[in-house]
Amino acid sequence: MSTSLVDRLWYGRGRPLALLTPLAWLYRAVSESRRRKAWQARNESLPVPVVVVGNITAGGTGKSPLTARLVQRMKQEGWKPVILSRGYGGKSNHYPLLVSEGTSPGVSGDEPLMLAQATGCPVVVDPERCRGAAWALENGLGDVLICDDGLQHYRLPRDIELAVFDARRGIGNGAIIPVGPLREPVERLGSVDFVILNGAGFPEAGETLDSFAGVDHPDIHAMELVPSGLVNLNSGETVPPEKLKGKPVRAVAGIGNPGRFFDTLRGLGAHVNEVPFPDHHHFRPEDLASGALEWLVMTAKDAVKCRGFAPDNAWVLTVEARVSEPFEQRFIERLRECSGQLKPHDTERSDHG
């Protein structure tokens, strides 16, 4: 399904897939049944704070860059974070798997390897996140766990939940999959601690983000993905992202929302030739073919899968999540509270929860 088709069916006006509403009801019923069973089966708590960064919509919202930023801030505050991931797109012959910079993305998955390289902190991959969490603690890897994705993985106890949205897309048409983009009803936001809007722009002093693109929450904050550099995949040469201004760029992206990546490149002044692929695409050398004068540019998530065969004109655009200092302070305060009195979300704070 192309990005434009997704935008038209899920993020445009109306609900053109309304005939599939019975399937949406079924999806919701099955999801809620699994949630209730998982909630009943899970352990009461873990001996360290657990943070979950996720979303309630299908597709990319910027969870991984936010995870990396929160890890950086936690390290600055003296914490020793460990990232947990299910390792989507990878297959290991054993779990839990501790990711290193030399781990194959075919084993770990692309996002865990990217996060390990970007943060330098332990990344533990396990489809059973509770098992991965227990293993990380048994081996003394850290004193706080942060789960990249997994808002719907209810068996994992959690103390802080963050739901991330693409600000331009928001909740789309507000319908459940397959009629719309929602994995869970909007009411689920009543049980999360923070809502983060990626690409909302930062409000002026005194202004708030009370409601944006259909998202409403008492603790809502803005986030921007800021290009920080261009790194050549072969030579390691680094140049400023402004180097792309006026340049012909063949942009390849196998991510959940490639349109956002393409728009970022246009914002840098590049003349973009879009080449979207499905999320977690397994790249081949022929996917990276480009013209002699083109810059071949990709995301960090895709780059970890292409280093072994990338051509000399292949560059990765690195980005950093920028959030407000008040949000980071509130997050750290919440983390400190949890470390002092570990009370996971064992009671739901809304009718859906």
Side-chain angles (χ1 to χ4, degrees):
M1 188 181 291
S2 69
T3 303
S4 59
L5 183 56
V6 167
D7 287 341
R8 186 163 64 250
L9 296 178
W10 284 355
Y11 295 99
R13 295 182 178 179
R15 298 180 177 180
L17 298 178
L19 290 175
L20 300 179
T21 296
L23 292 179
W25 292 341
L26 177 62
Y27 182 96
R28 176 171 179 168
V30 171
S31 297
E32 292 187 348
S33 176
R34 293 178 63 187
R35 174 182 57 83
R36 287 192 296 270
K37 291 179 180 178
W39 210 285
Q40 294 167 359
R42 75 180 190 174
N43 295 326
E44 286 297 319
S45 65
L46 290 172
V48 300
V50 179
V51 180
V52 174
V53 180
N55 58 6
I56 66 168
T57 57
T61 57
K63 299 182 298 295
S64 293
L66 177 60
T67 297
R69 174 57 202 162
L70 294 178
V71 164
Q72 181 182 11
R73 182 58 185 261
M74 286 189 285
K75 291 170 72 173
Q76 291 171 351
E77 298 290 333
W79 296 85
K80 297 179 180 178
V82 179
I83 298 174
L84 302 178
S85 174
R86 66 170 290 195
Y88 186 87
K91 186 175 182 180
S92 174
N93 58 13
H94 71 279
Y95 292 105
L97 171 70
L98 180 61
V99 181
S100 68
E101 290 197 6
T103 303
S104 167
V107 173
S108 65
D110 45 26
E111 289 173 344
L113 181 56
M114 176 190 70
L115 284 168
Q117 294 177 348
T119 66
C121 77
V123 177
V124 176
V125 169
D126 197 323
E128 295 291 334
R129 290 182 179 87
C130 292
R131 182 175 60 188
W135 184 85
L137 297 179
E138 289 170 4
N139 287 273
L141 298 184
D143 55 14
V144 57
L145 305 176
I146 180 164
C147 189
D148 180 44
D149 207 354
L151 202 61
Q152 290 77 36
H153 192 80
Y154 285 102
R155 289 192 63 190
L156 178 71
R158 68 284 308 270
D159 300 284
I160 302 174
E161 292 184 323
L162 299 93
V164 188
F165 287 87
D166 179 276
R168 185 176 61 183
R169 288 177 158 188
I171 62 170
N173 61 18
I176 299 291
I177 294 171
V179 179
L182 297 184
R183 297 175 175 178
E184 299 183 272
V186 175
E187 291 79 12
R188 172 68 170 90
L189 298 180
S191 62
V192 307
D193 297 272
F194 302 99
V195 168
I196 307 299
L197 298 179
N198 179 14
F202 290 90
E204 299 294 333
E207 295 182 347
T208 60
L209 289 167
D210 293 324
S211 182
F212 195 96
V215 180
D216 195 7
H217 191 270
D219 215 335
I220 189 167
H221 301 271
M223 178 178 89
E224 293 288 342
L225 295 182
V226 181
S228 55
L230 280 165
V231 182
N232 187 278
L233 267 67
N234 284 327
S235 68
E237 178 187 1
T238 300
V239 298
E242 292 77 17
K243 193 79 171 179
L244 293 178
K245 185 175 182 179
K247 300 293 194 305
V249 169
R250 184 174 178 85
V252 298
I255 58 177
N257 184 5
R260 187 172 60 228
F261 175 61
F262 301 146
D263 289 343
T264 297
L265 293 174
R266 290 193 184 91
L268 292 170
H271 302 297
V272 180
N273 176 15
E274 300 180 5
V275 187
F277 291 96
D279 196 13
H280 301 285
H281 177 67
H282 292 284
F283 282 88
R284 302 166 298 176
E286 52 266 36
D287 294 332
L288 305 184
S290 62
L293 299 180
E294 286 183 315
W295 289 54
L296 179 67
V297 183
M298 64 187 69
T299 69
K301 174 178 168 179
D302 295 326
V304 298
K305 295 176 286 190
C306 299
R307 292 187 184 278
F309 51 82
D312 291 341
N313 67 333
W315 298 78
V316 54
L317 179 70
T318 57
V319 298
E320 296 178 353
R322 183 167 68 95
V323 292
S324 69
E325 180 61 24
F327 161 67
E328 290 194 350
Q329 290 178 351
R330 287 180 61 81
F331 172 78
I332 293 299
E333 288 171 2
R334 183 80 177 91
L335 189 62
R336 288 171 178 158
E337 291 174 3
C338 294
S339 68
Q341 49 178 10
L342 292 174
K343 293 182 179 180
H345 296 181
D346 49 7
T347 57
E348 302 181 37
R349 291 174 290 177
S350 70
D351 292 339
H352 172 74

